[in-house]
Amino acid sequence: MPKIVNHKLKRRELAKAAVEVISNIGIENLRLVDVAREIVATTSMVTRYLGDKDAVLSAALDYVAAELLSHEPKSMSVVELWSLLYEVLPVDTYRRNHWKVWLAYWSRAANSSELAKIQPHYNDQFKKNLLMALAPHDLPENGLSREEVADAVCTTIDGIAANATVEPRSWSATKQRRQLTILLTPILGAPK
């Protein structure tokens, strides 16, 4: 009887392995064999399920984006909203590894129209979730629309996360959260 393989699960397993490899050696140094070795598989399996280096990066990005977007879009209390925003930051190795994948993606997507097509989907989904979370809040009177607030939140998180991923010794979890609070309190209101 032939072995039944869950292709979706195998692709996810390889994507998770790709996250580890990218976070350890970078996308430039990644070889398909490195991803295969991470889970004791063959290079042909990586090629079959993921494809070339850009496809491996896309699969890794899908994996980390699924983690990021795993929260049910819903309206949130102020405490829940700030908690969600703090949770996105690279305050530990696990989240820093995920941000390394985002940074690797941004680097390659800047010069690849095919890769660049992926980003808007995830940005739109995160922003949609954020707009849902912001819906019940009376935002400070600053003349900004909710969409502008959501864009400012995303841009602020991206900036702090990029710095903290590249310079983790200079950007402790406390510093990341403090900077996020300093920058977003004027438009979101203070965390409670």
Side-chain angles (χ1 to χ4, degrees), residues 32-152:
L32 298 182
V33 70
D34 299 320
V35 176
R37 284 183 184 146
E38 184 70 23
I39 62 164
V40 191
T42 63
T43 304
S44 63
M45 180 182 288
V46 175
T47 304
R48 181 172 56 239
Y49 284 97
L50 300 182
D52 65 7
K53 190 184 279 195
D54 282 348
V56 169
L57 178 58
S58 295
L61 186 67
D62 288 344
Y63 181 88
V64 298
E67 297 266 317
L68 174 67
L69 299 170
S70 66
H71 297 92
E72 186 79 23
K74 64 175 185 164
S75 58
M76 298 180 171
S77 70
V78 172
V79 171
E80 289 173 314
L81 174 61
W82 278 99
S83 178
L84 172 68
L85 299 179
Y86 292 143
E87 186 179 310
V88 174
L89 298 171
V91 297
D92 56 31
T93 302
Y94 178 78
R95 287 177 263 196
R96 192 174 307 107
N97 287 350
H98 283 203
W99 274 101
K100 285 179 181 180
V101 171
W102 281 107
L103 293 178
Y105 166 77
W106 289 342
S107 173
R108 287 181 77 89
N111 297 307
S112 166
S113 59
E114 282 304 307
L115 283 176
K117 292 176 186 175
I118 299 169
Q119 176 78 11
H121 168 72
Y122 295 125
N123 264 357
D124 292 347
Q125 187 61 49
F126 185 75
K127 197 158 108 177
K128 179 181 166 190
N129 292 359
L130 190 54
L131 287 167
M132 179 77 82
L134 291 169
H137 299 285
D138 291 326
L139 299 174
E141 290 296 321
N142 53 22
L144 299 176
S145 69
R146 290 194 189 281
E147 182 136 338
E148 289 171 319
V149 169
D151 284 337

